[in-house]
Amino acid sequence: MSVSYYSSSFSKIGLGYNFNDRLWSELRLYSYTSLLDITPEIVVCYNIVKKENHNVYLGFGANINYYTGFVLPVGVQFTPIEKFDRFTLHIEFQPTLDFMQGDIIMQSSWGIRYRF
């Protein structure tokens, strides 16, 4: 299990689960929206590069409400301090295909993750 925070124009918080060293999933909730616009997002990601101090991942998922469509997260997670290997920083780029608006939205974020 893990918790994460993504900082961007629409910040997100996430609750994740690692199935193994390569495959993981995360339920994310967008913040900075009204109660009517609470937007859940679920993604499944795969670590295409798995090293001791960093991972490169890509994934697929969907969200509904403020944005409604598919998402394709691509990111890097890295461990800045070896002694605290449960704590990682991440940078993510996420194209989002919004069905309601018919747009492709390019999101990017940085954040932190803690694995239990």
Side-chain angles (χ1 to χ4, degrees), residues 4-72:
S4 55
Y5 171 76
Y6 297 80
S7 178
S8 66
S9 58
F10 284 102
S11 297
K12 297 182 258 188
I13 55 172
L15 180 62
Y17 180 77
N18 289 27
F19 296 105
N20 55 44
D21 283 347
R22 296 252 182 200
L23 187 64
W24 53 280
S25 66
E26 193 166 56
L27 173 64
R28 302 169 177 177
L29 290 176
Y30 285 71
S31 62
Y32 300 130
T33 58
S34 68
L35 288 177
L36 296 175
D37 289 331
I38 291 176
T39 302
E41 176 178 278
I42 189 157
V43 296
V44 175
C45 297
Y46 183 78
N47 294 327
I48 56 176
V49 174
K50 177 81 173 141
K51 299 291 184 180
E52 186 174 333
N53 292 327
H54 73 280
N55 300 325
V56 177
Y57 63 91
L58 78 103
F60 180 78
N63 52 23
I64 188 167
N65 204 4
Y66 190 82
Y67 297 125
T68 299
F70 294 117
V71 298
L72 299 167

Side-chain angles (χ1 to χ4, degrees), residues 88-99:
T88 59
L89 300 175
H90 56 257
I91 300 169
E92 186 174 282
F93 173 69
Q94 178 179 293
T96 301
L97 174 60
D98 186 355
F99 294 149

